[in-house]
Amino acid sequence: MTHTLPPSAPPRAARRLRTLAVLTTVTALAVTILTPTAAAAPDPAIPVVDGKTAPFSDYASAIRERVFIPVDGVDQDLDGVTDVTAIDIIRPAETADTLRVPAIIDPSPYYTTVGRGNEAQRLQDLDGDGVTDLFPLFYDNYFVPRGYAVIHAQMNGTGFSTGCPMHGGAGDIQSMKVVIDWLNGRVAGYDGDGVAVTADWHTGKSAMIGKSYDGTLANGVAATGVEGLTTIVPIDAISDWYRYSRTNGIRHNTNYPSSLANTVTNPDRRALCAPTRTTLSEIDGDETGDYNAFWDERDYTRTVDAVTASVFAVHGLNDDNVRMSQFADYWQALAEHDVPRKVWLPRLGHIDPFDFRRDVWVDTLHRWYDYWLHGIENGIMSEPQSTVEFGPAEYVDEASWPAPSTEYVDLSLSGTASGTPGSLAFRPVDGASTLQIVGGSNSPSETSLANNPEATQSNRLVLLSEPLAQDLRISGTPVVQLDASLSQEQSNLSALLIDYSTATRTPRSPGDGIQTLTERTCWGAETPYDSACYLETARRSSESAYWRVSRGVLDSSNRESFAEGAATVVTPGAEYDFDWKMEPYDHVFRAGSRIGVVLSTNLSGFTAGSPGATVTLDAVTSSISLPVVGGTRAAFASGAFGVPIETVRPQTTLVSPTTAGPLRTLEIQVDATDDIGLDAVVANIYQSGKLVKSTQTAGNGATSVSHTATVALPDGTYQIRYNARDAAGNLSLTRETTVTLDATAPTVTVKSGDSFTKGADGTYSLVSFKLHDAGMIDRLTLNGVEKDLTNSVWSDLNYVKPGTFGGEFGENTLVVHDVAGNTQTVVFVLTEPAWSAATVYGAGDTVWYSGSTWLATWYAKGQPPGQLYGPWQEIRQTTDGTAVWTPTRIFVSGDVVEHDGVRYTAKWWTRNQVPGDPNGPWARQG
């Protein structure tokens, strides 16, 4: 295939591009391919004020240009020439010099047909100079002056691009992906004269944004993993085209892909694209409604693991066009792959946030782009991930979606008689074992099925809860789980989830919940041809007796698979499992309302299955699973569904005490958990079978409770019996543990007998202790030196003197610990043995005499310490260990002493020479 420009380009330019294209088959095209480096912060020329990029560039002077990018390998109009993507660019004038900016891309098939935005704006050259003057939407008016380029990329076969639309297929996505490739220098692009153009003004970072088809293209491009697409902002966008046109095997329409392709194709190209549309109708699988290769190519969730762009999604909870399932499954897949993300869920239909929360939207989008494209740390990723609207302008921010603490709750679908209201409750009611739905010859409307829920109506089965005593919220995807048989080989099955309460609400129609006003507000700069002022809107409201929360349908033949060729009819009269997802939603059922499930066969809005089927429902085992915020506990607390069928006992764990003791104090902690909520956690204390103390903590419906109690009791052995009771009356196993309490400290006595103890009244040269505790001695420490004992009632510490078992001269501290942790402390003094006239002493022996320690210099017997030149030296020292001068002590050269508060150093051997004589043996320090 060869490259060519679209017919809108001057013929001369087209001829020139064909020549260049042919040359590329022979030699490399002389185009410099640039790979910009993504900036971590905005260019210094772009001012940042209050954490946001501020206007600095003149919008009227902005560079406006159109670039054509060949889409290699794609020829969807089958003319033998490579399709070309046209993009209209508006960027700050300063980018002609050194300024580098990121790009905001709106990929769309609507620019020259349906138009963009609430006012259906189209790309237009209003002054006839060949340059686009009107860029749809506010993006260019607001962001270009703040240092962004805005690009309107026209999908294959639309706008000024060549080719033909293929319903979001691989070629359509490639036609938008090449915009990112061109911006990052990986493919070539040309101006209208065929001259190669590079995006040397680009930072390497880009965003894609758009509502509906536009956001769908953003999803598709992100799923390719293309490098340089930093973030996408899909608004009410499709992630899987099969589920847009079908629901669980049932078509919503006929030949829709070709119909939509015709709508977005310029009228002058529709004849050219007719063969492509014929092909679409041939391969879209309308005959079965099943999932085939055509739809597999258009399922962007298949390659969500390739997504590297962050995602800021907006999706209307009430969008019956691009339904919530397009968002919810994609969102879950993004979460599973840790894609950075944020979401707004307004209570509206197919509406751009610019048209329902304009000021907050512009500010939030601005900060999102500043963070992801300019690298400005503005805290937006630290804000709550999810914003859900619960009433007009009543927005709640949460950490995630579905809401935190959401759990599925199974509710039984049962009743007493077919055609009359049945029960939606935890347990099936006593009544009929089966219930029947008799399908009619047509597809009844949603209104006719939901109205007057307590009236008899054979073509439906209404299951109603009791009125709610308090609000109950669901957040996520309800799941229908029917056990049923059919009277014929095939039937459609349908389900509605209804809030039966009269209230003023924002309706789904008309206008998807809004109406356009005449007042305009302005967002950005403008020119005479491109206004920045847009019509404001207001919420519609109306009173209704009920609200359809969710709906879902299933082709019975697709009960096991939607894949082409896998559908199988049922055997009439045989029971099967029919399980299917309904549309995701987030809704608060207010106190006083009733929750209803309406089951039927064919439903208006979906292609009908075989008419007239009778569905026989197992009224004992059939159920619906609702994603309830707070789970079974919240559902039970709402009072709408009776007592949970669950008979699972609460679970308890004894956290404290961890041993049987003995313990000084009794610290009890019992942790309990229960799925539906706890009523109480109890721990009772018994002695010899008699209750002596009862403790408990109320559960108040919490699913986890920690019961703690500190109990003072006399020493002895006790039994702790503990359990928990849940809100449904289920009782946990009662468990028991035995503990011994001991709050009495050990006793310590000094042993008598000269062989054990020498000294008295707390001063000893040798001392021994007898230790006793009824709860057993554990260990002791002597001056911080620990000794582990053998956990016995009696123990000993013998022959303590300085230098043994941690004993030291002077004051000593003995701490004795029992097993329970009680302690006894004894303080005593250790001295040398007293001098004895009958004892023979050798050099180095020490004695205690007249309140001092004496050191034997040589052999001594019968010579009392104190003689100036006798065998004994008086040993004294300061608190820091420095020797104190005494007349009997011998000092040698270098010894340091203290005398009368002054320190001296010995110059030679000396004894009985008082420091202070300058001519003596002592040198004063300092």
Side-chain angles (χ1 to χ4, degrees):
M1 292 184 291
T2 56
H3 301 160
T4 186
L5 289 175
S8 59
R12 176 176 60 83
R15 288 194 300 272
R16 179 174 179 181
L17 183 55
R18 288 195 185 96
T19 302
L20 287 173
V22 172
L23 288 176
T24 63
T25 64
V26 180
T27 184
L29 182 63
V31 176
T32 302
I33 304 298
L34 302 177
T35 306
T37 301
D43 189 296
I46 300 174
V48 177
V49 179
D50 295 331
K52 294 190 291 187
T53 52
F56 71 96
S57 183
D58 178 47
Y59 176 74
S61 302
I63 297 170
R64 295 162 171 81
E65 58 187 332
R66 181 173 295 158
V67 174
F68 300 95
I69 308 169
V71 189
D72 284 336
V74 176
D75 177 19
Q76 295 188 168
D77 56 11
L78 308 177
D79 64 355
V81 178
T82 295
D83 293 345
V84 175
T85 294
I87 61 174
D88 279 79
I89 306 168
I90 178 170
R91 54 188 171 93
E94 292 81 358
T95 57
D97 297 320
T98 60
L99 181 66
R100 301 293 176 262
V101 296
I104 299 169
I105 305 163
D106 185 347
S108 180
Y110 295 141
Y111 284 125
T112 56
T113 52
V114 176
R116 288 290 287 111
N118 192 39
E119 299 176 45
Q121 291 182 312
R122 296 168 177 80
L123 283 171
Q124 295 184 63
D125 172 15
L126 296 173
D127 62 4
D129 65 355
V131 178
T132 298
D133 303 306
L134 175 59
F135 286 76
L137 307 178
F138 80 99
Y139 304 140
D140 55 305
N141 307 86
Y142 187 85
F143 286 107
V144 170
R146 289 168 168 80
Y148 293 86
V150 172
I151 298 176
H152 292 271
Q154 297 131 61
M155 190 189 80
N156 191 294
T158 71
F160 299 100
S161 298
T162 63
C164 294
M166 286 290 284
H167 203 64
D172 289 354
I173 298 304
Q174 183 66 14
S175 75
M176 297 293 89
K177 174 181 175 292
V178 296
V179 182
I180 304 294
D181 289 332
W182 173 74
L183 286 168
N184 288 275
R186 294 188 290 267
V187 300
Y190 306 90
D191 66 13
D193 292 324
V195 177
V197 179
T198 59
D200 54 4
W201 46 266
H202 186 240
T203 63
K205 291 186 176 183
S206 296
M208 279 191 169
I209 185 173
K211 174 193 159 195
S212 197
Y213 210 140
D214 300 22
T216 302
L217 293 171
N219 282 342
V221 175
T224 70
V226 60
E227 183 180 354
L229 180 58
T230 308
T231 188
I232 61 171
V233 185
I235 302 166
D236 297 326
I238 296 167
S239 60
D240 178 359
W241 282 94
Y242 174 81
R243 288 179 300 151
Y244 178 74
S245 288
R246 287 102 167 86
T247 295
N248 298 330
I250 301 175
R251 288 187 290 111
H252 293 244
N253 40 53
T254 301
N255 295 140
Y256 182 73
S258 62
S259 173
L260 180 59
N262 187 68
T263 298
V264 300
T265 303
N266 291 338
D268 61 353
R269 291 182 58 82
R270 287 173 180 166
L272 173 67
C273 291
T276 300
R277 294 195 299 277
T278 299
T279 299
L280 288 174
S281 295
E282 290 172 349
I283 63 178
D284 64 7
D286 269 5
E287 297 74 20
T288 64
D290 295 341
Y291 186 89
N292 60 16
F294 176 83
W295 298 110
D296 190 64
E297 180 184 311
R298 291 158 175 80
D299 179 2
Y300 311 135
T301 65
R302 290 183 305 105
T303 55
V304 73
D305 59 332
V307 174
T308 58
S310 61
V311 179
F312 184 0
V314 180
H315 210 102
L317 289 163
N318 297 342
D319 194 340
D320 280 348
N321 176 4
V322 180
R323 296 170 298 283
M324 269 289 290
S325 53
Q326 292 293 333
F327 158 75
D329 288 350
Y330 183 52
W331 180 256
Q332 180 179 344
L334 294 174
E336 290 170 355
H337 290 86
D338 295 322
V339 175
R341 60 202 181 281
K342 184 177 181 67
V343 65
W344 279 15
L345 297 174
R347 204 158 296 275
L348 287 167
H350 203 60
I351 303 296
D352 192 295
F354 187 72
D355 293 317
F356 66 79
R357 203 185 184 194
R358 187 167 292 182
D359 53 346
V360 181
W361 170 245
V362 173
D363 178 72
T364 305
L365 185 65
H366 185 181
R367 291 186 299 116
W368 182 265
Y369 283 156
D370 275 356
Y371 176 80
W372 286 105
L373 300 182
H374 275 309
I376 297 174
E377 293 291 345
N378 52 26
I380 194 164
M381 295 307 294
S382 299
E383 295 173 4
Q385 186 184 86
S386 167
T387 299
V388 180
E389 184 182 21
F390 288 98
E394 179 192 344
Y395 296 94
V396 176
D397 294 330
E398 293 177 304
S400 60
W401 195 89
S405 78
T406 296
E407 298 174 5
Y408 275 101
V409 175
D410 289 338
L411 299 173
S412 177
L413 306 174
S414 63
T416 57
S418 301
T420 62
S423 168
L424 179 66
F426 286 122
R427 305 167 185 261
V429 297
D430 293 332
S433 60
T434 61
L435 298 170
Q436 288 190 333
I437 304 166
V438 180
S441 59
N442 62 359
S443 297
S445 69
E446 181 180 295
T447 300
S448 67
L449 291 174
N451 263 339
N452 303 315
E454 300 193 68
T456 300
Q457 198 167 313
S458 63
N459 68 342
R460 70 177 185 183
L461 184 61
V462 180
L463 300 312
L464 292 172
S465 75
E466 294 300 317
L468 274 70
Q470 63 184 49
D471 292 356
L472 184 69
R473 178 184 174 192
I474 66 166
S475 179
T477 305
V479 180
V480 178
Q481 299 158 143
L482 301 187
D483 297 328
S485 62
L486 307 181
S487 63
Q488 57 194 39
E489 291 185 335
Q490 189 278 336
S491 176
N492 288 354
L493 301 171
S494 64
L496 304 172
L497 179 63
I498 306 292
D499 178 346
Y500 283 107
S501 62
T502 299
T504 299
R505 303 178 171 98
T506 299
R508 288 183 168 91
S509 63
D512 283 303
I514 68 167
Q515 56 185 328
T516 303
L517 307 178
T518 57
E519 175 192 356
R520 292 183 179 271
T521 57
C522 304
W523 300 87
E526 59 185 8
T527 67
Y529 301 107
D530 195 331
S531 172
C533 303
Y534 295 86
L535 293 170
E536 283 285 351
T537 66
R539 296 294 181 108
R540 296 180 185 271
S541 65
S542 63
E543 184 176 89
S544 61
Y546 69 88
W547 179 255
R548 184 251 294 165
V549 175
S550 180
R551 66 183 177 187
V553 295
L554 172 70
D555 179 343
S556 65
S557 297
N558 294 108
R559 63 193 176 279
E560 295 179 348
S561 174
F562 308 133
E564 188 175 44
T568 56
V569 298
V570 303
T571 299
E575 186 171 292
Y576 294 87
D577 295 337
F578 298 106
D579 300 343
W580 71 91
K581 292 181 179 180
M582 301 178 72
E583 285 298 325
Y585 206 66
D586 202 301
H587 183 77
V588 175
F589 296 90
R590 299 299 181 186
S593 68
R594 301 180 78 180
I595 302 175
V597 174
V598 181
L599 302 176
S600 188
T601 54
N602 290 321
L603 179 64
S604 178
F606 302 87
T607 302
S610 300
T614 295
V615 180
T616 301
L617 182 78
D618 187 323
V620 177
T621 61
S622 296
S623 65
I624 185 171
S625 191
L626 298 183
V628 175
V629 179
T632 305
R633 179 180 62 85
F636 177 60
S638 74
F641 311 111
V643 177
I645 197 169
E646 179 191 63
T647 57
V648 177
R649 299 171 183 263
Q651 297 296 309
T652 58
T653 302
L654 181 65
V655 179
S656 176
T658 57
T659 69
L663 306 171
R664 292 177 62 197
T665 59
L666 183 54
E667 302 281 350
I668 298 174
Q669 180 177 339
V670 178
D671 288 352
T673 60
D674 188 79
D675 289 343
I676 66 169
L678 291 157
D679 179 54
V681 184
V682 177
N684 292 332
I685 306 165
Y686 295 80
Q687 188 176 48
S688 301
K690 181 180 179 181
L691 177 66
V692 295
K693 184 71 174 179
S694 179
T695 68
Q696 66 175 295
T697 296
N700 298 320
T703 55
S704 64
V705 171
S706 184
H707 165 61
T708 59
T710 300
V711 182
L713 292 169
D715 291 0
T717 299
Y718 299 87
Q719 292 74 46
I720 304 172
R721 298 174 188 169
Y722 58 94
N723 59 27
R725 183 177 60 252
D726 69 15
N730 299 307
L731 191 67
S732 74
L733 293 174
T734 299
R735 304 179 189 276
E736 180 177 303
T737 189
T738 299
V739 296
T740 299
L741 297 184
D742 173 13
T744 303
T747 59
V748 181
T749 57
V750 176
K751 289 186 176 183
S752 61
D754 195 53
S755 62
F756 287 107
T757 300
K758 295 180 179 180
D761 301 326
T763 300
Y764 313 94
S765 60
L766 178 72
V767 65
S768 300
F769 299 97
K770 174 63 73 174
L771 316 177
H772 175 263
D773 189 89
M776 293 189 291
I777 300 294
D778 175 45
R779 59 191 170 88
L780 61 81
T781 58
L782 180 57
N783 300 324
V785 178
E786 185 169 300
K787 181 178 182 182
D788 191 20
L789 303 176
T790 56
N791 290 3
S792 57
V793 175
W794 293 94
S795 192
D796 301 277
L797 177 62
N798 293 327
Y799 313 121
V800 178
K801 61 181 179 178
T804 62
F805 301 119
E808 300 173 352
F809 286 116
E811 186 173 275
N812 290 257
T813 301
L814 171 65
V815 182
V816 180
H817 303 254
D818 68 11
V819 173
N822 302 297
T823 62
Q824 185 69 265
T825 301
V826 177
V827 179
F828 59 95
V829 175
L830 284 178
T831 67
E832 290 79 1
W835 176 82
S836 171
T839 302
V840 175
Y841 298 98
D845 287 345
T846 57
V847 298
W848 183 258
Y849 183 78
S850 297
S852 293
T853 298
W854 297 81
L855 173 69
T857 310
W858 53 77
Y859 172 92
K861 182 180 179 182
Q863 293 173 280
Q867 299 171 1
L868 285 178
Y869 297 102
W872 297 101
Q873 300 179 55
E874 183 181 11
I875 306 299
R876 294 170 56 199
Q877 61 184 22
T878 63
T879 56
D880 66 359
T882 302
V884 174
W885 181 85
T886 60
T888 59
R889 185 168 179 177
I890 297 171
F891 299 98
V892 298
S893 176
D895 285 349
V896 176
V897 302
E898 183 173 300
H899 180 65
D900 292 339
V902 179
R903 295 197 175 190
Y904 299 86
T905 302
K907 294 186 285 183
W908 52 75
W909 188 98
T910 176
R911 188 179 193 186
N912 194 29
Q913 289 178 282
V914 180
D917 181 358
N919 298 316
W922 295 102
R924 180 171 179 151
Q925 293 185 353

